Amino acid sequence: MLESETKGGFLLFFAALLALFLANGPWGAAYFALREVPVGLLVGEFALEKPLVLWVNDLLMALFFLLVGLGCPWASSSSSSPWPSWTTWGRSWSSPFSTPRD
């Protein structure tokens, strides 16, 4: 698993480095023009058109929160997890104000 995470880290690093060179080099105007290219979605009479940079940001943010949600240890009900699941947490927690159960 570490190998795939390392490859992903290197890929992100080199993509950021490439973007820095493109934005600050002689191709800067073309780079910023590409970011503002309108991209749309048309379904019947429904049309949604936004710049490319907004589509990329929204997609990456959705992917990020999906991966965070999949990686939360308390989101699973597995008994091998050291964290209590949300479904059993309320039952295992005792309050000084609660009445004792028989």
Side-chain angles (χ1 to χ4, degrees):
M1 178 154 162
L2 182 61
E3 182 179 325
S4 65
E5 290 175 358
T6 304
K7 287 178 184 176
F10 280 126
L11 180 67
L12 284 175
F13 175 74
F14 287 121
L17 199 61
L18 177 65
L20 280 170
F21 283 127
L22 288 176
N24 294 309
W27 307 282
Y31 175 77
F32 287 107
L34 176 67
R35 288 178 36 155
E36 299 303 320
V37 168
V39 177
L41 178 67
L42 180 65
V43 178
E45 292 186 22
F46 176 75
L48 180 63
E49 187 172 300
K50 300 191 311 187
L52 180 63
V53 68
L54 293 179
W55 284 104
V56 171
N57 286 345
D58 290 346
L59 176 69
L60 291 177
M61 205 172 326
L63 183 64
F64 169 77
F65 283 111
L66 172 72
L67 292 176
V68 166
L70 291 175
C72 288
W74 57 82
S76 70
S77 59
S78 171
S79 60
S80 64
S81 173
W83 297 91
S85 71
W86 287 110
T87 57
T88 61
W89 184 78
R91 288 179 276 170
S92 64
W93 182 72
S94 63
S95 167
F97 304 109
S98 63
T99 57
R101 297 181 185 155
D102 292 324

